[in-house]
């Protein structure tokens, strides 16, 4: 049987305690649920326009103002967005204005309230008119 001095006993106890702590940490990491991309870090909110009613078809996310949709395309396609939106989701804390004439943002308009949705622009006489998006 090996005897240990006071200093050796303390080091042994410390080593055992650190080993147990490390085992607990590994167990916690192995069993912890994995965060999804949306849960990791600060969540980003967008204003989203959809090509069709009821949030259907292609879509495009906006994190800020875009005054000319004539040069923006639906979700990775070659289809220009200009005058092609039929529904929207505003997941931001901002009012978002849309107009039917790009660049100068004039003509008929529609304003989306913060954190709102509209499944059909026809009820606002704004179907297929969005040419300009401005965060207000």
């Amino acid at each position: 049987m090996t005897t240990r001095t006071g200093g050796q006993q303390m080091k042994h106890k410390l080593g055992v305690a650190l080993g147990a702590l490390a085992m607990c940490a590994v167990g916690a990491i192995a069993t912890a649920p994995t965060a999804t991309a949306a849960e990791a870090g600060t969540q980003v909110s967008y204003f989203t326009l959809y090509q069709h009613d009821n949030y259907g078809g292609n879509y495009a996310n906006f994190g800020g103002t875009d005054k000319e949709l004539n040069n923006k395309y639906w979700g990775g396609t070659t289809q220009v967005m200009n005058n092609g939106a039929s529904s929207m989701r505003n997941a931001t804390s901002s009012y978002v204005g849309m107009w039917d004439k790009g660049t100068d943002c004039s003509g008929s308009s529609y304003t989306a309230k913060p954190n709102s949705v509209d499944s059909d622009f026809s009820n606002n006489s704004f179907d297929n008119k969005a040419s300009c998006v401005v965060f207000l």
Side-chain angles (χ1 to χ4, degrees):
M1 180 167 169
T2 307
T3 58
R4 297 189 178 142
T5 64
Q8 287 175 326
Q9 286 178 341
M10 182 59 90
K11 286 180 185 177
H12 178 72
K13 288 180 182 179
L14 181 60
V16 170
L18 288 174
L21 182 62
M23 297 277 290
C24 289
V26 168
I29 291 170
T31 60
T34 306
T36 65
E39 295 170 334
T42 304
Q43 293 187 0
V44 179
S45 298
Y46 292 106
F47 175 76
T48 305
L49 286 176
Y50 296 86
Q51 190 174 21
H52 301 303
D53 294 344
N54 299 311
Y55 323 107
N58 294 306
Y59 67 92
N61 291 322
F62 296 83
T65 294
D66 191 333
K67 292 186 175 186
E68 188 57 69
L69 301 187
N70 198 26
N71 60 10
K72 186 163 179 87
Y73 301 93
W74 289 111
T77 72
T78 57
Q79 287 182 293
V80 175
M81 289 186 62
N82 196 46
N83 297 323
S86 293
S87 57
M88 70 85 193
R89 291 182 195 269
N90 184 2
T92 74
S93 58
S94 299
Y95 283 86
V96 178
M98 294 175 282
W99 287 266
D100 71 348
K101 291 186 172 76
T103 308
D104 64 349
C105 301
S106 61
S108 299
S109 66
Y110 174 98
T111 302
K113 293 180 181 178
N115 301 301
S116 64
V117 297
D118 188 342
S119 64
D120 185 357
F121 285 164
S122 296
N123 60 356
N124 297 306
S125 300
F126 203 73
D127 196 34
N128 297 314
K129 289 187 178 181
S131 295
C132 173
V133 173
V134 177
F135 280 61
L136 305 171

